[in-house]
């Protein structure tokens, strides 16, 4: 071998390092427990407020529908202020009174058009519109089923046959019924038209007796017209 040639120096291979196992972060707890402390406190307070509000509402509704008792008499003003008009109940606990009449609430309006002319519209059957929206609807809204009907019951219950208020809730029932009627009328008005006055009426017709019954019932339609209300 030539003396100038040198054997390659064998370098030792670096030692293999064992992979360092990093600990996986602990799984996050589901629900509120997985939140940080401030958020857990806020969530707990929110849930507590909802629970208190739900219990308060159920308690007042129960006192409203339950037979008259010492507690309901003592807190009658508080119960009425909470229930009327949005949460009013018609069926009394232990004494249901299903309706035996078909009552349709209708409305018409005097509208001033963009040209300044005042036009009185035809009667519009709001109850029929609600019925059409409910029919064949698997999930009808509470508004479609009860809002208009309960508003009319609220009005007739706080007024006499001459449409004069017989208690403190008379004015409240008028405002409630007026708001509902305007909410139905305004979206269908042409551009530039302004509703000046509205008038409501009910069309009441008794449910006919079944064919197999000998009972005779008057199925004529009777109307109850209210005065014009200025908007």
């Amino acid at each position: 071998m030539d003396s100038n040639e040198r054997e390659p120096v064998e370098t030792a291979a670096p030692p293999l390092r064992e992979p360092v196992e990093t600990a996986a972060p602990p799984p996050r707890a589901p629900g509120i427990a997985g939140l940080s402390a401030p958020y857990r406190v806020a969530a707990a307070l929110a849930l507590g407020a909802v629970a208190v509000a739900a219990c308060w509402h159920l308690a007042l509704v129960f006192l409203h529908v339950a037979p008259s008792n010492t507690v309901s008499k003592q807190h009658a003003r508080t119960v009425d202020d909470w229930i009327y008009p949005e949460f009013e109940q018609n069926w009394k606990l232990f004494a249901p009174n299903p309706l035996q009449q078909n009552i349709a609430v209708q409305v018409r309006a005097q509208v001033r058009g963009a040209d300044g002319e005042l036009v009185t519209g035809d009667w519009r059957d709001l109850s029929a519109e609600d019925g059409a929206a409910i029919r064949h609807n698997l999930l009808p809204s509470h508004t479609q089923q009860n809002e208009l009907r309960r508003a009319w019951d609220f009005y007739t219950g706080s007024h006499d046959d001459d449409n004069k208020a017989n208690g403190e809730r008379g004015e409240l029932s008028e405002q409630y019924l007026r708001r509902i009627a305007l909410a139905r009328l305004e979206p269908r008005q042409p551009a530039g038209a302004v509703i000046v006055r509205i008038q409501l009426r009910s069309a009441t017709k008794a449910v006919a007796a079944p064919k197999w019954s000998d009972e005779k019932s008057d199925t004529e339609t009777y109307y109850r017209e209210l005065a014009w209300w200025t908007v």
Side-chain angles (χ1 to χ4, degrees):
M1 175 181 297
D2 189 354
S3 59
N4 293 329
E5 293 180 358
R6 296 181 181 180
E7 294 182 357
V9 179
E10 295 181 358
T11 58
L16 298 177
R17 296 182 180 179
E18 296 182 358
V20 179
E21 295 183 359
T22 57
R28 179 179 176 181
I32 297 178
L35 301 175
S36 61
Y39 286 104
R40 285 201 301 270
V41 173
L45 292 176
L47 290 175
V50 171
V52 171
C55 293
W56 172 264
H57 175 72
L58 292 176
L60 294 184
V61 170
F62 176 80
L63 290 176
H64 176 68
V65 301
S68 181
N69 55 76
T70 303
V71 178
S72 63
K73 291 179 181 178
Q74 183 178 358
H75 302 284
R77 183 61 180 272
T78 302
V79 173
D80 289 347
D81 289 344
W82 180 263
I83 293 297
Y84 294 106
E86 279 78 8
F87 304 121
E88 183 185 6
Q89 307 293 312
N90 183 40
W91 281 39
K92 301 299 182 181
L93 196 62
F94 311 124
N97 54 338
L99 299 176
Q100 298 180 356
Q101 297 174 323
N102 289 322
I103 302 176
V105 180
Q106 303 172 354
V107 65
R108 64 177 178 175
Q110 286 185 344
V111 181
R112 190 175 303 280
D115 56 358
E117 182 180 0
L118 188 64
V119 178
T120 301
D122 297 329
W123 288 104
R124 178 176 160 189
D125 196 332
L126 301 181
S127 297
E129 295 176 4
D130 283 349
I134 294 171
R135 194 172 295 112
H136 308 303
N137 188 347
L138 297 179
L139 297 172
S141 70
H142 176 77
T143 300
Q144 293 168 336
Q145 297 179 80
N146 296 314
E147 181 186 56
L148 182 63
R149 179 178 61 85
R150 296 303 304 126
W152 184 258
D153 288 346
F154 183 28
Y155 177 87
T156 56
S158 57
H159 289 73
D160 58 22
D161 294 338
D162 295 326
N163 298 324
K164 295 181 179 180
N166 54 20
E168 297 179 354
R169 295 181 297 159
E171 183 178 355
L172 178 62
S173 66
E174 293 178 8
Q175 295 175 357
Y176 186 46
L177 193 59
R178 186 186 296 113
R179 291 201 309 267
I180 294 175
L182 287 175
R184 307 287 184 93
L185 290 171
E186 287 178 341
R188 296 193 179 184
Q189 299 305 314
V194 178
I195 298 176
V196 179
R197 297 196 303 170
I198 61 173
Q199 184 182 27
L200 288 100
R201 74 176 183 182
S202 66
T204 303
K205 185 177 182 180
V207 177
K211 296 180 180 180
W212 46 262
S213 174
D214 295 332
E215 181 183 357
K216 302 297 182 181
S217 57
D218 182 7
T219 58
E220 184 179 351
T221 302
Y222 294 92
Y223 295 94
R224 176 178 178 175
E225 288 190 6
L226 309 185
W228 283 95
W229 289 339
T230 302
V231 177

